[in-house]
Amino acid sequence: EAQVTQNPRYLITVTGKKLTVTCSQNMNHEYMSWYRQDPGLGLRQIYYSMNVEVTDKGDVPEGYKVSRKEKRNFPLILESPSPNQTSLYFCASSGGTGVDQPQHFGDGTRLSIL
Amino acid sequence: QKEVEQNSGPLSVPEGAIASLNCTYSDRGSQSFFWYRQYSGKSPELIMFIYSNGDKEDGRFTAQLNKASQYVSLLIRDSQPSDSATYLCAVTTGGGKLIFGQGTELSVKP
């Protein structure tokens, strides 16, 4: 089954404790992206990657890191999480020419930073 | 001005009516336009995408794009209670960025 898999689905942690949210897709898509969703603000793009070893900042990259060492994986790293990063996070991928194609979303990761 | 702006909700329509959802965008260079539906607690799912000026129809859904007016809309004909969800407009900008509107909540009353 074609899918984007995120882990964990839920995480409660404390300020300053490094965490990684994994994202994997099995569709051989070149484009992958991370979004956060907050009430009243819609989805905001954090980082995106148009291919292996190519990553770029979205609209809200501060406090986040990403890497794209292989096509299928695109982890999101919070090196020193803070309470303002409490949010619902989505990973997505798309094929073809990338962002001009529809995004396939993962099920989401709900992060709470205390 | 927000880069992608949707009409504020919630929008309430009776079952069987036409629901009209609107979206304006600021980047004249935008090339690709998407409508996603998101049920509460779920991930967004694609409804329609449109690249060229004019109308694109898929079943009960019609997307309309007017690049001169920087306007994209989604019409839902014969609205059903199962259409009740938040609808997200998304627009590509330069490079690989995708910008979403804040969403419009639609409620279809039986």
Side-chain angles (χ1 to χ4, degrees):
Chain A
E1 179 189 353
Q3 59 186 1
V4 177
T5 303
Q6 297 179 226
N7 279 298
R9 292 290 315 280
Y10 304 91
L11 178 63
I12 301 174
T13 187
V14 296
T15 299
K17 185 176 181 182
K18 180 179 178 180
L19 68 92
T20 299
V21 185
T22 63
C23 174
S24 180
Q25 50 92 5
N26 63 0
M27 296 167 279
N28 202 36
H29 285 167
E30 294 190 346
Y31 183 93
M32 297 187 73
S33 185
W34 276 103
Y35 303 88
R36 61 178 289 175
Q37 187 171 34
D38 303 290
L41 296 178
L43 281 157
R44 292 180 293 167
Q45 195 172 37
I46 302 171
Y47 270 97
Y48 62 94
S49 170
M50 299 188 80
N51 213 329
V52 175
E53 301 293 0
V54 179
T55 62
D56 280 295
K57 296 177 181 179
D59 280 342
V60 288
E62 295 79 18
Y64 304 94
K65 285 177 59 176
V66 293
S67 69
R68 188 90 182 275
K69 294 185 172 58
E70 16 173 24
K71 186 182 273 193
R72 64 181 291 123
N73 295 324
F74 191 44
L76 179 69
I77 303 156
L78 286 70
E79 296 223 325
S80 183
S82 63
N84 65 10
Q85 293 177 297
T86 292
S87 188
L88 177 59
Y89 291 84
F90 288 102
C91 179
S93 71
S94 59
T97 53
V99 72
D100 291 322
Q101 300 298 312
Q103 303 275 292
H104 298 256
F105 284 86
D107 287 338
T109 295
R110 190 167 290 281
L111 280 183
S112 293
I113 315 294
L114 304 178
Chain B
Q1 182 192 1
K2 292 182 182 176
E3 291 184 78
V4 178
E5 202 149 357
Q6 298 183 234
N7 49 334
S8 58
L11 175 65
S12 183
V13 301
E15 184 174 355
I18 295 175
S20 177
L21 302 159
N22 303 315
C23 176
T24 58
Y25 61 95
S26 61
D27 185 353
R28 285 198 170 273
S30 295
Q31 295 292 322
S32 305
F33 307 85
F34 305 89
W35 283 100
Y36 290 88
R37 177 176 64 197
Q38 187 176 27
Y39 293 112
S40 181
K42 301 294 186 182
S43 57
E45 55 179 335
L46 182 74
I47 298 295
M48 295 281 290
F49 62 91
I50 187 167
Y51 300 140
S52 304
N53 275 331
D55 294 359
K56 180 181 179 182
E57 187 174 317
D58 184 0
R60 296 186 296 112
F61 300 95
T62 299
Q64 299 175 315
L65 175 61
N66 184 325
K67 288 187 178 180
S69 299
Q70 295 175 248
Y71 176 93
V72 58
S73 65
L74 179 70
L75 299 178
I76 306 174
R77 288 181 301 281
D78 188 24
S79 295
Q80 301 297 310
S82 58
D83 294 327
S84 298
T86 296
Y87 289 80
L88 304 169
C89 171
V91 176
T92 58
T93 62
K97 283 190 176 182
L98 185 64
I99 308 295
F100 284 80
Q102 76 275 27
T104 299
E105 185 181 346
L106 172 66
S107 178
V108 181
K109 304 293 187 185

